[in-house]
Amino acid sequence: EDGFEMQFGTNHLGHFLLTNLLLDKLKQSAPSRVVIVSALAHVRGRINFDDINSEQSYSPIGAYCQSKLANVLFMRELARRLEGTGVTANALHPGVIRTDLGRHIFTTFGWVALLVAPLEAIVSCLIKKSAIQGAQTTIHLAVDKELETTSGRYFSDCVPVNVSPLAEDEATARKLWQLSEEMVGLQE
């Protein structure tokens, strides 16, 4: 509807726009924090600047991974831009959570999803976190006093972890920032 690939628009551009619209208030309220929920899937992501909306080639998983890499790149560039302001920016992987997010998997993956469904049910019981467990890293980043000045880091299970090499690429982060500004109409 807005002209964006849905996952990129929802997972990245919406957060990018909202955060930018709140930046003055965040700076006035310092110390303050921006917490960005990404996913481990960012390690498989690639930012396709030539087809950012996946119009030439679409893969649901590829689009998801691109959006999650965009989250981490956004966090890193935001943290860089906010240095010295009292506002921090960090991102996190909440884990694999038992939610209804996969309710449309059958329409996306068809009969393959039916074959995998029994295995997924077992895996869900063994490794998926509850919503409360999955929220812990987000809460930790938002309120832990020890993290008041920590910025530009990526967390999983409440501890800092490394990001993919692509997520550390400052040139890609800056280019994505500029493109995101253009896409949401923030560029002056």
Side-chain angles (χ1 to χ4, degrees), residues 42 69 72-77 152-154 161-174:
H42 85 272
L69 175 58
V72 180
L73 290 165
F74 168 49
M75 173 273 296
R76 293 182 61 85
E77 181 64 10
R153 301 297 308 269
Y154 183 78
V161 296
N162 293 327
V163 294
S164 72
L166 284 175
E168 293 179 337
D169 187 326
E170 290 180 17
T172 301
R174 285 188 181 112

Side-chain angles (χ1 to χ4, degrees), residues 105-122:
I105 196 161
F106 295 107
T107 57
T108 302
F109 295 103
W111 63 270
V112 174
L114 288 172
L115 293 175
V116 179
L119 178 61
E120 198 282 329
I122 294 168

Side-chain angles (χ1 to χ4, degrees), residues 11-112:
N11 293 339
H12 170 63
L13 292 175
H15 296 73
F16 177 86
L17 177 59
L18 178 62
T19 302
N20 275 279
L21 293 175
L22 293 173
L23 275 182
D24 289 339
K25 289 287 183 198
L26 288 166
K27 290 174 186 174
Q28 292 168 5
S29 304
S32 54
R33 306 176 191 197
V34 176
V35 178
I36 299 165
V37 179
S38 183
L40 182 60
H42 85 272
V43 302
R44 296 196 54 208
R46 304 285 180 273
I47 303 297
N48 186 350
F49 288 106
D50 296 325
D51 187 24
I52 201 72
N53 285 312
S54 304
E55 294 167 314
Q56 297 166 13
S57 175
Y58 182 74
S59 155
I61 293 172
Y64 178 76
C65 294
Q66 174 177 259
S67 75
K68 292 303 167 180
L69 175 58
N71 290 148
V72 180
L73 290 165
F74 168 49
M75 173 273 296
R76 293 182 61 85
E77 181 64 10
L78 181 63
R80 186 189 69 76
R81 289 171 180 248
L82 292 173
E83 283 179 16
T85 66
V87 182
T88 62
N90 292 292
L92 67 110
H93 168 60
V96 181
I97 315 299
R98 285 187 302 271
T99 67
D100 270 348
L101 284 176
R103 68 188 173 278
H104 301 295
I105 196 161
F106 295 107
T107 57
T108 302
F109 295 103
W111 63 270
V112 174

Side-chain angles (χ1 to χ4, degrees), residues 15 32-39 68 71 88-97 129-145 147-148 150 153-160:
H15 296 73
S32 54
R33 306 176 191 197
V34 176
V35 178
I36 299 165
V37 179
S38 183
K68 292 303 167 180
N71 290 148
T88 62
N90 292 292
L92 67 110
H93 168 60
V96 181
I97 315 299
K129 295 177 179 181
S130 69
I132 291 171
Q133 292 168 323
Q136 295 310 299
T137 304
T138 304
I139 295 166
H140 177 68
L141 291 178
V143 301
D144 191 303
K145 292 217 178 279
L147 299 176
E148 195 168 278
T150 300
R153 301 297 308 269
Y154 183 78
F155 289 75
S156 181
D157 292 323
C158 299
V159 296

